[in-house]
């Protein structure tokens, strides 16, 4: 794990090195950052450990590669304290659970973001796994919403909408939400969201949202797509920052009793009024969701049916 020690110093040092293609002496960095040259060297070592290619010579320091798509905490300015980053991990959801429980124990209920460059056991809904590819975006948002347990599905709805909006704003393509937890392009699934909560006394003590997205590569699986056709510098970071901004805008609707969130979700829904086939073979017409994220269907005979997330699956092609 890459922690946040000296992160502010690292962030400011990195900013200086990114502004020039020439070497910057230790003395210049020491003066600009108002720290000792020993502290400069320790910060450089920390950046090198995090994967930044900084060439250190007696004449000074040179950033050989920008690493503009890094998700290390010190890439996020004043919000860096919210972030925890791993190069390789089993699943960001597993680490987020530990962080959420520790936060409850310590009384630190500030939101956190757990990111990883690579997951070996990325989780999907049920027994499904989320297979990461080179440059995939994998993160979990840790929140303490004090939300009624039955309202937790609204957070998932908001996250779907936020992710679809974030992908649209960074890629220029159009994206859709699909029940219960997917984001699709016109050509296939690009992103999935997994929610996990600890419910005590009818309230969510914590609610974590784990998100995976194919950026410029995707697994060779039918019905899967990617956000960008070609590799693009800073894509992961841009999408993550865009998602966090979009989710913060949607968050107020999660707690509202109004149906604004439901209406937005339904407008971005890929399957509206389409005939789908349930896992038991029954043909149903998808009619959207209710305010709590439950799916609404009609049978071919016109009978109405409502299902909770996870209680039914259907073919999406």
């Amino acid at each position: 794990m890459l922690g946040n020690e000296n992160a502010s110093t690292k962030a400011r040092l990195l900013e200086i090195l990114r502004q020039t293609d020439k070497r910057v002496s230790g003395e210049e960095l020491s003066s600009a950052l108002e720290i000792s040259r020993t502290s400069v060297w320790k910060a450089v070592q920390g950046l090198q450990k995090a994967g930044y290619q900084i060439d250190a010579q007696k004449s000074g320091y040179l950033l050989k590669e920008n690493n503009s798509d890094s998700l290390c905490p010190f890439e996020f300015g004043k919000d860096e304290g919210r972030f925890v980053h791993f190069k390789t991990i089993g699943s960001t959801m597993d680490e987020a659970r530990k962080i959420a429980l520790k936060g409850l124990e310590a009384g630190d209920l500030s939101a956190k973001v757990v990111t990883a460059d690579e997951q070996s056991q990325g989780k999907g809904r049920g027994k499904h796994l989320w297979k990461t590819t080179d440059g995939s975006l994998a993160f979990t948002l840790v929140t303490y919403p004090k939300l009624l347990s039955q309202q937790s599905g609204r957070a998932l709805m908001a996250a779907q909408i936020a992710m679809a909006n974030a992908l649209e704003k960074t890629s220029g393509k159009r994206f859709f939400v699909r029940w219960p937890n997917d984001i699709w392009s016109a050509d296939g699934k690009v992103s999935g969201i997994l929610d996990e909560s600890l419910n005590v006394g009818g309230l969510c003590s914590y609610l974590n949202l784990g998100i995976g997205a194919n950026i410029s590569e995707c697994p060779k699986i039918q019905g899967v797509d990617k956000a960008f056709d070609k590799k693009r510098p800073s894509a992961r970071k841009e999408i993550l920052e865009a998602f966090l901004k979009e989710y913060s805008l949607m968050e107020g609707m999660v707690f509202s009793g109004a149906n604004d969130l439901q209406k937005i979700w339904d407008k971005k829904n890929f399957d509206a009024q389409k005939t789908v086939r349930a896992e038991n073979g029954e043909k149903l017409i998808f009619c959207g969701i209710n305010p709590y994220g439950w799916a609404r269907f009609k049978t071919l005979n016109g009978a109405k049916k409502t299902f909770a997330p996870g209680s039914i699956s259907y073919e999406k092609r």
Side-chain angles (χ1 to χ4, degrees):
M1 184 176 76
L2 302 175
N4 292 314
E5 70 282 0
N6 297 323
S8 296
T9 298
K10 293 173 188 173
R12 289 184 292 144
L13 190 153
L14 190 57
E15 183 179 7
I16 292 171
L17 294 181
R18 278 176 168 162
Q19 290 175 351
T20 180
D21 57 359
K22 298 179 180 179
R23 288 188 182 277
V24 183
S25 70
E27 185 176 351
E28 289 175 300
L29 289 170
S30 175
S31 176
L33 298 172
E34 298 182 329
I35 59 176
S36 68
R37 292 185 65 172
T38 300
S39 296
V40 169
W41 172 234
K42 288 182 178 179
V44 168
Q45 286 182 311
L47 288 168
Q48 289 173 328
K49 182 180 178 182
Y52 293 87
Q53 296 185 30
I54 301 176
D55 185 38
Q57 302 290 340
K58 289 183 178 179
S59 57
Y61 304 97
L62 177 67
L63 183 64
K64 298 179 70 175
E65 189 175 327
N66 198 323
N67 291 64
S68 60
D69 205 28
S70 171
L71 299 180
C72 289
F74 35 84
E75 290 284 354
F76 297 94
K78 61 182 178 61
D79 293 324
E80 61 186 86
R82 297 179 59 191
F83 291 80
V84 178
H85 180 66
F86 295 84
K87 290 183 179 179
T88 302
I89 199 175
S91 166
T92 60
M93 286 293 285
D94 291 340
E95 291 301 323
R97 186 183 309 115
K98 296 175 186 176
I99 290 171
L101 291 172
K102 184 182 287 187
L104 289 174
E105 184 178 348
D108 177 10
L109 304 186
S110 57
K112 300 288 190 299
V113 184
V114 183
T115 62
D117 293 329
E118 181 182 9
Q119 292 187 125
S120 60
Q121 297 177 337
K123 299 181 184 299
R125 186 169 288 275
K127 294 182 180 180
H128 295 119
L129 296 177
W130 178 271
K131 186 175 181 181
T132 56
T133 54
D134 185 38
S136 291
L137 175 59
F139 70 96
T140 298
L141 176 62
V142 179
T143 68
Y144 304 91
K146 293 184 179 179
L147 194 67
L148 291 173
S149 301
Q150 64 264 33
Q151 292 181 311
S152 62
R154 294 175 64 83
L156 178 58
M157 292 158 56
Q160 282 184 280
I161 296 166
M163 194 60 183
N165 288 344
L167 289 168
E168 286 182 353
K169 289 182 178 181
T170 52
S171 72
K173 293 167 62 175
R174 191 176 179 191
F175 292 89
F176 308 88
V177 297
R178 303 191 83 171
W179 190 81
N181 63 325
D182 291 348
I183 296 94
W184 280 52
S185 70
D187 298 314
K189 180 176 177 178
V190 173
S191 178
I193 303 176
L194 185 66
D195 61 321
E196 177 184 284
S197 61
L198 174 64
N199 302 310
V200 179
L203 290 174
C204 295
S205 294
Y206 73 74
L207 193 155
N208 294 347
L209 296 164
I211 301 178
N214 301 320
I215 306 301
S216 57
E217 293 186 15
C218 58
K220 295 181 180 179
I221 303 172
Q222 186 176 3
V224 175
D225 194 19
K226 54 195 177 183
F228 297 92
D229 295 329
K230 297 180 181 179
K231 284 190 176 181
R232 172 175 160 180
S234 304
R236 290 189 311 166
K237 184 180 172 186
E238 287 178 20
I239 292 171
L240 175 54
E241 290 182 316
F243 167 80
L244 294 173
K245 182 177 180 180
E246 290 290 325
Y247 187 74
S248 69
L249 295 174
M250 306 295 305
E251 212 166 5
M253 296 185 190
V254 174
F255 295 91
S256 169
N259 60 357
D260 295 353
L261 195 62
Q262 174 193 357
K263 288 180 178 179
I264 296 171
W265 195 99
D266 280 341
K267 284 182 179 179
K268 295 188 76 69
N269 175 29
F270 197 80
D271 297 314
Q273 302 305 314
K274 289 183 179 179
T275 301
V276 300
R277 186 183 298 275
E279 56 192 340
N280 64 359
E282 183 182 13
K283 288 186 177 181
L284 300 167
I285 299 171
F286 189 86
C287 301
I289 57 174
N290 72 11
Y292 298 100
W294 291 41
R296 298 181 294 111
F297 294 92
K298 282 194 307 186
T299 67
L300 298 186
N301 294 326
K304 296 180 180 180
K305 293 188 175 184
T306 305
F307 295 96
S311 63
I312 188 177
S313 63
Y314 60 91
E315 292 181 6
K316 295 187 176 180
R317 279 294 187 189

